[in-house]
Amino acid sequence: MSVQINKLHPHFAVEVVGLDASRPDPALCAQVQAIMDTHAVAVLRDQTLDDEQQIAFSRCFGELEVRPAVRTQVTERIDNPRVRHNEIFDVSNLDQAGRVLPPDDDRRSYALGNQLWHTDSSFRQLSATWSLLSARIVSPVGADTEFADTRAAYDALPEAMRARIDGLVAEHSIWHSRARRGGYQPSAEELRARPPARHRLVRTHPGSGRKALYIAMHASHIIGWPDDEGRDLLDELIDFATRPEFVYAHKWRLGDLVIWDNRCTMHRATPFDDLGLVRDMRRTTVREAVSA
Ligand SMILES: [Fe+2]
């Protein structure tokens, strides 16, 4: 079957039909790399992946992040946990036994931070290149994922703003975004284990050679600026980059594998009835080889 590529948005994001990620080979991986370099978000339809296959496909594109420990209130031993591999980030509303998380679960409050515009792992010095999210059970209502194109947004910035932000560096922390949404309180050990990182606000996207804004709700302030002024500028840039003309909203279908390039996009989750419906999504995350 030949591969079809269909545009989903005028600036970025494509649907890819007729490609089987469960059988990665160098030619297929090169094809996906080329699609991603240009379009930054790729929706691979009709993928039936298990966790091992998702990990194997993701490893074509670099080393994978390992998920950090998040406190959980489930202390019982589970004989058949849903997720066994540390390379799989569990983006479901389920515990390891497959039960819907209760309202007061730490994983649930931690996940609320994903409803803010962000780029995955910008709070790490070696941040993420791509994220790959596999839809195993989709919610029939809500739970879209929205993506914003920060290359197109940079291109559209007024010249004076481009000059103003050239060379600026922001500090990013996972605990900053968690404090702004969800009220997750990290332990002293978590604070030590995940210190902040610093990144330039404008970076050149390696795949396309285009400049992109590298901003996110993890960014707390701009180095050398008063905190409130830096925060205001970051909010202004996020508001600009997430105008409707730069945003693609993805409605999930069972079997979608959506890949996004964190270096030139932002994304956010949208709400759904997570106490009544079941959603099982699993993410692998490719790490930068060197800090950009
Ligand atoms: Fe995310």
Side-chain angles (χ1 to χ4, degrees), residues 114 118 120 260 267 283:
N114 293 328
H118 66 283
D120 290 335
W260 62 90
H267 63 280
R283 194 187 88 202

Side-chain angles (χ1 to χ4, degrees), residues 19-24 44-58 88 132-137 254-259 282 284:
L19 183 153
D20 184 359
S22 72
R23 300 161 183 265
L44 278 53
R45 297 287 193 196
D46 307 316
Q47 306 299 316
T48 48
L49 298 174
D50 60 25
D51 288 352
E52 285 82 5
Q53 289 168 325
Q54 182 173 345
I55 290 168
F57 177 66
S58 304
I88 297 285
L132 303 91
L133 190 56
S134 166
R136 311 292 177 84
I137 300 174
L254 189 65
D256 282 350
L257 177 68
V258 177
I259 313 174
R282 303 188 187 200
T284 39

